[in-house]
Amino acid sequence: MDVKYYFQNQYDEPESGHLSSKDMKRIEDRMRQRFERISEVCSKYELDCKGEDPQHKIDPTRFFINEEYRIEWCAVPKAATTSIFYIFNILAGYESQVLEKQQILPRQFARKKYPIPTELEILTALDDSVSLIIVRHPFERLLSAYRDKMQNPETDSPYKALSKYIVKKFRKGNDSYSPEMPTFSEFVNYILKEDHAHHELCVHWRPIVDLCTPCQVNFNVIAKFETLDEDQKYILETANISDIISEQWRNVGKPMKRTIEEFYNELSEQQVSELFELYKSDFEIFDYSINNFIRNNTSAN
């Protein structure tokens, strides 16, 4: 399933509503392993040095800092942003009814309360805040972006025009396909061409290391989309807001008619290889594997 997380409990928890000390210790050990992995890879490629390229320079526009509750977050599109924006907006004083009824994007609500911080403010907040990033498998995140922005764009979405452009630019026949919606393969070809031309990619499919520079910002909570059922609870506990955020996480995602493997089997080996190179830093830093995406890939475009 391609999911958006809100608040609804998905697993058994102690009667108090808090994680047990045993569970906290286990998740802390998991976090420690993630920190060590990031440190090792960042050092290996010298990504922890200062520089002017996206992987070495902090982008303040991705950060939100709640000073009252001491929580700092770098927003990664297609990685539970709806849920975390909800937390930040509730902590900022918005009523849940207002958030649910308004058509304004959660990010727009948040920016009214959380102005873009300076780099100094971002680094200073690390000293006494829960600093958070949520990551996701690069290929699953890319497919989620495709489904959201290309297959199911909102009526007034600027991505409708982009979809038409991709079809016009990269379609080589296949009249049976929608004239306004690119195939996943056509979408990938567009992204790869943009990357080869050194154009800045859209934030929805830009590598996480370019968005949140985890080698420059020492986050103390590295949550993963794949383990979010537990990581989300750890976030609330660590930030001491589990008694303030009364809403529970809930999953309202739409089932996928096709599997992830089916989408990626549309791609040629070269496309998959080039995508891996594009997201290589994300794969290595966050300890993801490409194996499941190349095992059955035999098509050629």
Side-chain angles (χ1 to χ4, degrees):
M1 295 178 64
D2 190 37
V3 297
K4 288 183 178 179
Y5 284 87
Y6 296 80
F7 293 80
Q8 182 178 23
N9 190 33
Q10 296 290 316
Y11 55 95
D12 294 333
E13 60 182 62
E15 291 183 2
S16 65
H18 297 276
L19 287 173
S20 67
S21 58
K22 181 178 179 181
D23 285 337
M24 284 293 287
K25 175 63 166 59
R26 177 172 50 80
I27 298 172
E28 286 170 355
D29 289 342
R30 176 196 294 163
M31 292 293 167
R32 190 174 301 108
Q33 292 174 0
R34 293 173 181 175
F35 302 148
E36 291 173 355
R37 172 77 181 195
I38 291 174
S39 177
E40 177 185 341
V41 178
C42 288
S43 177
K44 176 182 176 181
Y45 293 107
E46 297 184 343
L47 295 175
D48 49 1
C49 302
K50 289 293 183 181
E52 293 301 314
D53 63 284
Q55 293 189 4
H56 293 82
K57 187 176 182 179
I58 296 173
D59 179 3
T61 66
R62 307 307 311 163
F63 284 80
F64 295 80
I65 301 176
N66 185 296
E67 295 183 355
E68 180 179 359
Y69 294 96
R70 307 310 301 166
I71 308 173
E72 179 175 24
W73 170 50
C74 185
V76 175
K78 315 314 299 177
T81 50
T82 300
S83 300
I84 307 302
F85 273 128
Y86 185 87
I87 292 177
F88 268 71
N89 285 331
I90 289 293
L91 295 180
Y94 289 113
E95 296 290 337
S96 59
Q97 297 88 340
V98 173
L99 297 175
E100 291 169 3
K101 292 181 180 180
Q102 295 295 325
Q103 298 300 314
I104 300 175
L105 294 174
R107 181 188 181 88
Q108 294 174 322
F109 268 117
R111 271 296 175 230
K112 292 179 179 180
K113 300 288 188 176
Y114 304 102
I116 296 173
T118 65
E119 182 174 334
L120 179 59
E121 288 172 332
I122 292 169
L123 296 176
T124 301
L126 294 173
D127 294 335
D128 61 352
S129 298
V130 172
S131 51
L132 163 71
I133 182 176
I134 300 177
V135 302
R136 187 177 185 179
H137 191 290
F139 282 6
E140 292 187 10
R141 177 172 169 255
L142 178 63
L143 179 57
S144 178
Y146 167 73
R147 297 186 68 231
D148 184 35
K149 303 304 179 184
M150 299 291 114
Q151 287 190 327
N152 302 296
E154 297 178 358
T155 303
D156 58 348
S157 170
Y159 293 99
K160 280 186 172 292
L162 177 59
S163 295
K164 293 179 181 179
Y165 167 80
I166 293 174
V167 169
K168 182 178 180 181
K169 187 74 174 179
F170 295 95
R171 182 151 300 174
K172 300 177 181 178
N174 299 321
D175 294 336
S176 61
Y177 290 122
S178 167
E180 296 187 353
M181 186 183 76
T183 64
F184 185 54
S185 178
E186 292 165 347
F187 174 66
V188 167
N189 282 337
Y190 160 74
I191 290 176
L192 292 175
K193 184 173 181 180
E194 289 291 291
D195 179 56
H196 294 162
H198 302 292
H199 294 161
E200 185 174 85
L201 300 180
C202 170
V203 295
H204 292 280
W205 44 84
R206 193 180 306 164
I208 296 173
V209 294
D210 291 2
L211 293 170
C212 293
T213 50
C215 297
Q216 299 293 321
V217 179
N218 294 320
F219 298 100
N220 54 41
V221 176
I222 310 294
K224 285 193 173 184
F225 195 87
E226 297 78 12
T227 56
L228 197 55
D229 281 354
E230 284 194 329
D231 291 352
Q232 64 190 358
K233 191 69 175 179
Y234 178 79
I235 293 167
L236 299 182
E237 292 279 334
T238 306
N240 295 315
I241 58 173
S242 57
D243 293 329
I244 300 172
I245 303 296
S246 58
E247 287 79 5
Q248 296 176 322
W249 297 76
R250 58 193 175 96
N251 179 331
V252 295
K254 297 179 180 178
M256 289 181 62
K257 295 181 179 179
R258 302 168 60 199
T259 66
I260 292 173
E261 288 78 9
E262 285 178 317
F263 277 100
Y264 275 88
N265 280 339
E266 291 182 10
L267 308 183
S268 67
E269 291 184 11
Q270 181 177 349
Q271 285 175 303
V272 173
S273 176
E274 291 185 21
L275 278 180
F276 177 73
E277 287 300 316
L278 171 57
Y279 295 104
K280 185 176 180 179
S281 293
D282 283 0
F283 272 99
E284 290 201 48
I285 287 176
F286 303 118
D287 197 19
Y288 285 112
S289 172
I290 192 178
N291 290 342
N292 291 339
F293 295 86
I294 61 175
R295 185 179 301 145
N296 298 317
N297 193 291
T298 58
S299 64
N301 293 346

